[in-house]
Amino acid sequence: MSRRDHAALRQTMRIRFDFNNAMASSIGDAHGITEAALASLSERVARGHSEIARRRQAGELDWMKLPSSLNVASEIEAYVDSIKGRFDNFVVLGIGGSALGNIALSTALNPPYYNLLSPEQRGGRPRLFVLDNVDPDQFSGFLRVVDPRRTLFNVITKSGTTAETMAQYLIVRDMLVKALGDSHRDHIVTTTDAKSGELRKIIEVEEYRTFVIPGTVGGRFSVLSPVGLISAAITGIDIQELLAGAAFGDEMTSEPDLRRNPAYANAAIHYLGYEAGRTLSVMMPYSQALKDVADWYCQLWAESLGKRVDLDGRIVNVGPTPIKALGVTDQHSQVQLYAEGRFDKIVNFIAVDRFHHDVVIPPGYPPSPGVNYLGGHTLNELMDVERQGTAVALSDTGRPSVTFHLPAVNAFTVGQLMFILETQTAMTGELLHINAFDQPGVEAGKIAAYALMGRSGYEKRAAEISASRKSSPAYII
Ligand code: PA5
């Protein structure tokens, strides 16, 4: 798609953020945000904005530069072109931030049931599998069903050491060597840090084709780097449009005034809500395509904002808990709790103005006139009224919600949405006065896994863990 078309998308594909239903004027004073509360935060938001800008300038937040990394996108497109037609399967080996963005992009931007389409329907592009677990039954089952000769594996790990991903890599390499001999190297492409990590050392020996994750781009902020872009491009997603959308999201969120900046407004709503006991953030797209964007958001929000200490080193044990839900499916599962349970949630709806298809419901069924009212309507209408109905049911009972309106689901709006949510997370971190970009809790788990798997250098930790394990038969039934 040409640049000119991207300019047109900025006019037609701008995301709108509606926070009426979070305000006291709509849902009442008990759980709604007052004008005064919002105003009282504006100075802190402005300070947070300056800090984010300072850190961006200092090169500490390079995820913010990813939308303009067009040369990387071109390099990926050239790579994808160079391997065209050679593989039936593209398999991501990665976990957390090295997998969730890939899944989110594919579900959002590839046709539904992409892997079930014929090769012609997929335009000769490979199927996509993302293996983000080390469940032995799943992993061995997967290896049984793919033909190694027609499969390309993308090993993705920023640290280059994560036990799960490196274990997967070793198993896959072994299988490829046995099946293909020397040419096994053509079946592995790696995405990792430029300098550090075990994978980097292996790459130097094996000479795998490699893409680099920039230094200050952490896992959960890496979807717009080669981490997410390679699997997107290889399955036919327009990654230039994705980046153009993210660049537009960057522009939309560069405004210091929270009333003009969707990311800052939602950060303020969540912060004020959190302080008032609304500690759960539900992400509920009314779009099957955006289901896994909600999953991606949950990791972004949880790992960035769940912290033991604040920036002054004080123990705060802070963090709003994200929850994923899907409209309309979870209306018949979670919504009862959201409408009548504790007043501890803020619901983030995502509405899609225009789906790719209109599906008309046939005119009724004469012997059962009770269903005839549906006839002639569309599933599109049903989806929309169900979302509106849920929003009304929540606001009528004083429950706050906000809505992101996407004109349509496409690479431009998804890139825009992801960048807005990333910036929202960064600002919420500022308001909570924590470092949103580290993950000591995750690192502690990684270290424990290294220790318990016998990695050299982790003996002390292994001894500590075994000494601290207390198990009494009295508590085992
Ligand atoms: O967001 C993060 O930093 C984590 O979720 C990581 O992405 C995850 O732990 C995987 O790490 P790595 O990419 O180093 O293998």
Side-chain angles (χ1 to χ4, degrees):
M1 186 174 271
S2 71
R3 291 276 167 79
R4 211 164 140 246
D5 290 326
H6 292 167
L9 290 173
R10 294 157 61 94
Q11 305 300 320
T12 55
M13 289 293 154
R14 183 190 180 99
I15 293 175
R16 284 176 303 117
F17 178 66
D18 181 345
F19 60 102
N20 271 288
N21 284 341
M23 299 301 291
S25 51
S26 284
I27 62 166
D29 283 349
H31 304 286
I33 292 169
T34 61
E35 274 296 326
L38 210 54
S40 73
L41 261 198
S42 57
E43 206 174 299
R44 282 181 64 190
V45 168
R47 274 206 303 276
H49 174 78
S50 305
E51 180 59 9
I52 292 170
R54 184 195 67 73
R55 294 190 67 184
R56 177 181 188 153
Q57 192 65 31
E60 293 171 23
L61 306 179
D62 277 353
W63 59 270
M64 300 190 97
K65 294 187 188 152
L66 295 174
S68 53
S69 57
L70 300 181
N71 52 343
V72 175
S74 304
E75 191 195 339
I76 290 170
E77 285 170 338
Y79 169 69
V80 167
D81 255 7
S82 75
I83 55 169
K84 207 168 180 176
R86 284 181 49 202
F87 300 103
D88 297 332
N89 308 301
F90 185 80
V91 183
V92 169
L93 304 179
I95 197 163
S98 293
L100 288 163
N102 306 68
I103 300 171
L105 290 180
S106 180
T107 312
L109 300 172
N110 283 320
Y113 308 106
Y114 171 80
N115 280 355
L116 296 184
L117 300 179
S118 68
E120 295 72 37
Q121 287 169 320
R122 294 197 310 271
R125 299 183 184 95
R127 300 181 200 94
L128 173 66
F129 300 92
V130 180
L131 301 188
D132 61 349
N133 204 346
V134 287
D135 181 300
D137 293 339
Q138 185 225 13
F139 204 77
S140 58
F142 178 78
L143 295 184
R144 261 205 315 276
V145 298
V146 287
D147 176 357
R149 291 167 304 176
R150 300 289 303 166
T151 304
L152 176 61
F153 291 88
N154 184 193
V155 187
I156 309 180
T157 166
K158 173 73 197 291
S159 62
T161 53
T162 302
E164 294 90 334
T165 307
M166 294 314 289
Q168 290 178 331
Y169 160 73
L170 292 173
I171 296 164
V172 162
R173 178 178 183 276
D174 190 52
M175 177 198 75
L176 290 173
V177 168
K178 284 180 183 142
L180 308 169
D182 266 358
S183 67
H184 75 271
R185 291 182 188 84
D186 301 338
H187 293 252
I188 293 179
V189 53
T190 55
T191 310
T192 191
D193 188 77
K195 295 194 189 99
S196 63
E198 295 302 316
L199 183 60
R200 177 53 63 185
K201 290 183 209 158
I202 295 170
I203 290 164
E204 261 139 46
V205 179
E206 298 285 343
E207 299 182 345
Y208 296 132
R209 179 67 202 257
T210 301
F211 290 85
V212 168
I213 310 171
T216 63
V217 176
R220 58 197 175 275
F221 288 88
S222 68
V223 59
L224 301 171
S225 78
V227 168
L229 295 184
I230 300 174
S231 64
I234 207 159
T235 54
I237 292 170
D238 184 340
I239 59 173
Q240 302 278 354
E241 186 180 307
L242 183 77
L243 294 183
F248 189 45
D250 186 18
E251 255 178 71
M252 286 168 67
T253 56
S254 60
E255 166 65 57
D257 178 358
L258 70 88
R259 283 166 196 278
R260 296 156 67 93
N261 181 327
Y264 292 180
N266 209 20
I269 288 163
H270 277 78
Y271 174 75
L272 290 168
Y274 185 79
E275 294 288 290
R278 293 184 287 278
T279 57
L280 310 179
S281 171
V282 179
M283 180 56 77
M284 187 167 189
Y286 272 69
S287 154
Q288 190 77 27
L290 297 176
K291 177 175 184 277
D292 293 322
V293 168
D295 212 7
W296 168 85
Y297 165 80
C298 283
Q299 191 226 4
L300 178 70
W301 198 244
E303 215 167 288
S304 303
L305 303 178
K307 297 290 151 73
R308 188 176 71 91
V309 292
D310 71 7
L311 290 171
D312 301 321
R314 281 192 305 252
I315 294 180
V316 285
N317 296 116
V318 77
T321 301
I323 299 171
K324 56 184 167 176
L326 176 66
V328 303
T329 308
D330 281 311
Q331 279 184 218
H332 301 269
S333 164
Q334 303 290 307
V335 165
Q336 170 62 31
L337 175 69
Y338 303 162
E340 295 193 357
R342 297 187 70 165
F343 285 85
D344 55 2
K345 301 166 198 73
I346 299 170
V347 178
N348 297 258
F349 293 114
I350 306 180
V352 176
D353 296 344
R354 183 123 194 88
F355 285 83
H356 300 303
H357 298 92
D358 291 322
V359 178
V360 178
I361 305 168
Y365 185 76
S368 286
V371 297
N372 288 351
Y373 73 97
L374 293 168
H377 289 290
T378 59
L379 291 186
N380 310 56
E381 282 176 271
L382 186 57
M383 192 84 166
D384 198 49
V385 299
E386 299 250 10
R387 177 187 59 76
Q388 289 181 37
T390 305
V392 167
L394 294 184
S395 61
D396 280 356
T397 52
R399 318 251 165 187
S401 68
V402 300
T403 304
F404 289 95
H405 287 270
L406 270 58
V409 176
N410 55 42
F412 192 84
T413 55
V414 169
Q416 204 183 143
L417 178 67
M418 285 177 139
F419 199 90
I420 291 171
L421 293 174
E422 288 176 337
T423 308
Q424 173 187 311
T425 306
M427 176 53 78
T428 310
E430 288 299 319
L431 294 174
L432 291 170
H433 195 54
I434 48 129
N435 182 357
F437 305 105
D438 65 0
Q439 54 285 323
V442 177
E443 305 303 340
K446 287 187 179 185
I447 288 168
Y450 299 149
L452 295 172
M453 291 293 277
R455 183 172 172 190
S456 150
Y458 293 82
E459 296 78 3
K460 185 165 166 279
R461 185 66 191 129
E464 285 165 3
I465 293 171
S466 67
S468 73
R469 275 181 175 169
K470 295 185 188 78
S471 176
S472 160
Y475 302 129
I476 301 175
I477 295 170

